[in-house]
Amino acid sequence: MSEIDEFIKTARAGKPVYLTAKEKQALRNHRAYLKLKAKDPDYYTKARREERRKRKEEQ
């Protein structure tokens, strides 16, 4: 059984799931990414990244 399968099995059983600091940070980052993507679906497109890069260079 993989680590992910064990994690899911433990969580579904209602037992506490302990995460490392790195895993917690990864979850926070992913949630922030999903919020941004929901708010603005084009945020991570190549054209938008290019716009942000150009604005940053102008400052």
Side-chain angles (χ1 to χ4, degrees), residues 3 5 10 16 19 24 31-32 34 43-44 47 50 57 59:
E3 221 176 286
D5 293 333
T10 304
L19 300 173
K24 288 178 184 177
R31 286 187 188 117
L34 291 175
Y43 187 80
Y44 286 104
E50 195 66 26
E57 287 176 356
Q59 290 179 354

Side-chain angles (χ1 to χ4, degrees), residues 7-55:
F7 176 85
I8 292 169
K9 184 179 176 183
T10 304
R12 285 187 178 157
K15 298 176 186 171
V17 179
Y18 300 102
L19 300 173
T20 65
K22 280 187 173 184
E23 290 170 332
K24 288 178 184 177
Q25 185 62 46
L27 283 173
R28 280 193 293 272
N29 290 344
H30 186 62
R31 286 187 188 117
Y33 163 79
L34 291 175
K35 283 181 186 175
L36 246 175
K37 190 136 171 106
K39 186 176 175 183
D40 183 6
D42 295 331
Y43 187 80
Y44 286 104
T45 61
K46 187 174 182 178
R48 290 293 298 279
R49 283 195 313 263
E50 195 66 26
E51 286 175 21
R52 288 193 301 279
R53 187 183 61 77
K54 286 180 182 177
R55 267 185 291 173

